[in-house]
């Protein structure tokens, strides 16, 4: 810590409470308030936790002012350019990039864990055809603990638990898609890499010999890397909260999947494309859409815009925007939704409402257009976000378990209900 203060003082009820100041490796500081209730009999109030640090973590760092995202110190731009998703998953979980031997062992585990128990396949038959794949994904993940109870063993090798979940989630995601279109599933192949396997399970069929395009495989890797971790976002905090009670990895990740599903979080990538499709279908002008987004009486926000941390361009959105152009060119596709998105971005970034509030495109603004061009249905977009975020959830859950400072998560509240109203027996109540 440089010449900045090393403590913070709180003056309350004539007392001065002195609390230590903490500083992280990026120069971000926090007041350590852990003794505040003991010393001053007061809590701090922070709904949405916008000003609250819940843990110390070495996994990723987000600088919202600089528009910077680091995974174990490496800029996301570098990893997206030079690494596969499995390499980045190893980095997040182990803290270092794998050497060749470690990579081969890790990849072999993915392969041996890629199938799901045959009895789990019957679950798919019981879902209605239009079941949202996020509902299927969350239910199947928590069911894994019934088929693989070793997850509850405290000494289970993290690579086994991690690769089992990473590999099976990919299979479950593809199976849920096949179920939704009434097609037979395509089993994973030991000859294919993680992303090629996923694309093949998604799009090959007995009557279509799916041609695996190495460019599209690279793009799939890049998109999953973009989503791999992001500090203490809503779903990661949920995974930590559930894990803090001692719940196993599958139960914790199931909760994270449910949190991610919300339209304000991972569900936004689906909302963005549905918003763009509606605008295109109704022929709304960009001006009208921007005015609606600014109108507080109108529930429609500009989905894919704004972020709790980024007050400048989300670096992931910049990468996704570039990939969008590349994929459409590779597939020889024109998508009017991209032109619409570009128009909305240009208009919003010049509008005082968005400028004053520092609202920029976030990771969800362009990714849905890419997924759509790749052939994924809209309701699979958040599943793809979950696939990408899974190594981050696993790494964060594991870090929680190893953190000596961590206790069960249990925030306080300010009570606004009645205080001991007179009790009236039921036969005397009006
Ligand atoms: C993700 O946390 C993470 O890291 C998440 C994530 C990750 O990798 O895990 O990055 C992934 O979830 C990205 C965000 C995806 N969600 C969306 O795109 C939904 C649209 N965005 C918003 O709903 C909003 O920006 C949030 C939810 C992302 C952030 O909400 P905050 O931080 O609580 O901000 P806020 O709602 O308090 O907004 C501040 C102001 C408000 O206006 P005023 O009250 O000051 O007048 O900005 C306005 C908001 O009305 N605003 C928007 C807006 N986002 C914020 N106005 C119009 N359109 C928007 N999209």
């Amino acid at each position: 810590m440089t010449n900045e203060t090393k403590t913070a003082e709180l003056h309350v009820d004539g007392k001065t409470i002195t609390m230590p100041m903490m500083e992280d490796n990026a120069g971000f500081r926090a007041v350590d308030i852990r003794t505040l209730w003991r010393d001053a009999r007061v809590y701090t109030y922070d709904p949405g936790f916008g000003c609250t640090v819940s843990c110390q973590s070495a996994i990723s760092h987000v600088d919202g002012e600089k528009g910077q995202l680091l995974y174990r110190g490496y800029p996301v731009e570098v990893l997206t350019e030079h690494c596969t998703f499995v390499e980045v998953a190893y980095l997040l979980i182990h803290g270092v990039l794998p050497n060749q031997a470690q990579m081969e062992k890790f990849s072999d585990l993915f392969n041996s864990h890629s199938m799901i128990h045959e009895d789990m396949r019957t679950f798919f038959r019981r879902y209605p055809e239009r079941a949202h794949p996020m509902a299927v994904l969350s239910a199947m993940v928590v069911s894994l603990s019934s088929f693989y109870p070793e997850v509850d063993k405290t000494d289970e090798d993290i690579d086994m638990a991690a690769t089992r979940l990473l590999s099976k989630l990919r299979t479950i995601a593809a199976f849920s898609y096949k179920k939704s279109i009434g097609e037979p599933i395509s089993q994973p192949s030991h000859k294919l890499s993680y992303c090629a396997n996923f694309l093949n399970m998604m799009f090959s069929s007995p009557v279509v010999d799916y041609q695996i395009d190495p460019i599209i495989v690279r793009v799939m890797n890049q998109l999953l890397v973009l989503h791999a971790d992001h500090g203490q976002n809503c779903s990661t905090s949920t995974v930590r909260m559930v894990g803090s009670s001692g719940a196993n990895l599958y139960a914790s990740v199931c909760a994270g999947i449910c949190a991610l599903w919300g339209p304000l979080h991972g569900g936004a990538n689906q909302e963005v494309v549905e918003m763009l499709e509606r605008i295109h279908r109704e022929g709304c002008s960009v001006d009208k859409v921007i005015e609606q987004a600014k109108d507080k009486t109108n529930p429609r926000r500009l989905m894919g815009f704004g972020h709790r941390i980024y007050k400048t361009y989300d670096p992931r959105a910049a990468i996704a925007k570039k990939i969008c152009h590349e994929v459409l060119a590779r597939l020889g596709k024109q998508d009017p939704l991209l032109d619409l998105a570009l128009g909305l971005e240009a208009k919003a970034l010049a509008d005082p409402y968005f400028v004053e509030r520092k609202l920029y495109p976030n990771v969800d603004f362009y990714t849905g257009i890419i997924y759509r061009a790749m052939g994924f249905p809209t309701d699979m977009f958040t599943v793809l976000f979950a696939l990408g975020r899974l190594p981050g959830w696993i790494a964060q859950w594991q870090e929680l378990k190893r953190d000596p400072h961590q206790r069960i998560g249990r925030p306080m509240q300010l009570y606004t209900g009645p205080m001991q109203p007179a009790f009236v027996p039921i036969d005397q109540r009006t």
Side-chain angles (χ1 to χ4, degrees), residues 230 233-234 263-266 268 293 296 301-308 316 353-354 357 359 362-364 385 389:
H230 209 250
N233 58 83
C234 178
L264 295 185
H265 190 14
K296 297 299 178 196
R301 286 190 159 187
L302 187 58
M303 300 311 279
F305 251 73
H307 199 277
R308 174 64 57 80
R316 302 167 299 176
Y353 172 95
F354 288 86
R357 292 166 178 81
L359 303 175
N362 60 50
V363 67
D364 293 311
F385 194 140
R389 186 51 52 88

Side-chain angles (χ1 to χ4, degrees), residues 295-312:
D295 176 1
K296 297 299 178 196
T297 62
N298 186 311
R300 286 185 172 140
R301 286 190 159 187
L302 187 58
M303 300 311 279
F305 251 73
H307 199 277
R308 174 64 57 80
I309 310 292
Y310 289 120
K311 301 310 170 191
T312 184

Side-chain angles (χ1 to χ4, degrees), residues 146-199:
S146 314
F147 290 89
Y148 306 97
E150 52 272 37
V151 71
D152 281 312
K153 291 198 190 94
T154 49
D155 61 350
E156 190 191 20
D157 172 49
I158 184 62
D159 271 355
M160 296 293 282
T163 47
R164 183 191 297 119
L165 187 50
L166 281 159
S167 196
K168 288 181 184 348
L169 192 73
R170 168 192 53 179
T171 303
I172 291 166
F175 284 11
S176 63
Y177 168 64
K178 284 294 192 186
K179 155 69 192 175
S180 72
I181 58 173
E183 278 192 13
I185 60 166
S186 302
Q187 287 288 0
S189 159
H190 66 284
K191 300 180 193 129
L192 298 173
S193 67
Y194 184 92
C195 285
N197 228 331
F198 175 61
L199 291 167

Side-chain angles (χ1 to χ4, degrees), residues 153-374:
K153 291 198 190 94
T154 49
D155 61 350
E156 190 191 20
D157 172 49
I158 184 62
D159 271 355
M160 296 293 282
T163 47
R164 183 191 297 119
L165 187 50
L166 281 159
S167 196
K168 288 181 184 348
L169 192 73
R170 168 192 53 179
T171 303
I172 291 166
F175 284 11
S176 63
Y177 168 64
K178 284 294 192 186
K179 155 69 192 175
S180 72
I181 58 173
E183 278 192 13
I185 60 166
S186 302
Q187 287 288 0
S189 159
H190 66 284
K191 300 180 193 129
L192 298 173
S193 67
Y194 184 92
C195 285
N197 228 331
F198 175 61
L199 291 167
N200 193 56
M201 284 193 277
M202 280 289 300
F203 300 120
S204 71
S205 87
V207 294
V208 171
D209 182 19
Y210 176 66
Q211 293 301 319
I212 295 173
D213 178 342
I215 302 294
I216 299 300
V217 171
R218 178 171 59 80
V219 164
M220 192 75 248
N221 273 288
Q222 290 178 313
L223 289 167
L224 294 178
V225 168
L226 279 187
H227 290 84
D229 197 59
H230 209 250
Q232 302 310 310
N233 58 83
C234 178
S235 53
T236 299
S237 297
T238 302
V239 169
R240 279 182 171 260
M241 177 63 89
V242 173
S244 75
S245 76
N248 68 46
L249 177 63
Y250 300 151
S252 305
V253 166
C254 167
I257 291 170
C258 296
L260 186 73
W261 195 0
L264 295 185
H265 190 14
N269 57 16
Q270 174 171 347
E271 294 283 329
V272 168
V273 167
E274 288 173 352
M275 169 187 77
L276 295 172
E277 283 173 336
R278 176 179 50 76
I279 295 165
H280 183 64
R281 186 174 58 249
E282 296 171 358
C284 288
S285 70
V286 164
D287 290 343
K288 183 178 174 195
V289 173
I290 293 296
E291 288 314 306
Q292 279 179 343
K294 293 157 53 177
D295 176 1
K296 297 299 178 196
T297 62
N298 186 311
R300 286 185 172 140
R301 286 190 159 187
L302 187 58
M303 300 311 279
F305 251 73
H307 199 277
R308 174 64 57 80
I309 310 292
Y310 289 120
K311 301 310 170 191
T312 184
Y313 216 99
D314 183 333
R316 302 167 299 176
I319 296 169
K321 185 177 178 180
K322 184 169 150 287
I323 292 174
C324 209
H325 288 291
E326 184 187 332
V327 166
L328 288 174
R330 175 73 181 183
L331 297 173
K333 293 186 176 179
Q334 293 284 336
D335 187 346
L337 301 192
L338 177 57
D339 302 330
L340 193 47
L342 293 168
L344 283 168
E345 175 187 336
K347 192 75 185 173
L349 296 187
D351 185 293
Y353 172 95
F354 288 86
V355 172
E356 284 155 16
R357 292 166 178 81
K358 299 183 179 177
L359 303 175
Y360 290 83
N362 60 50
V363 67
D364 293 311
F365 194 61
Y366 288 105
T367 43
I369 301 171
I370 303 169
Y371 296 144
R372 182 176 134 99
M374 292 167 75

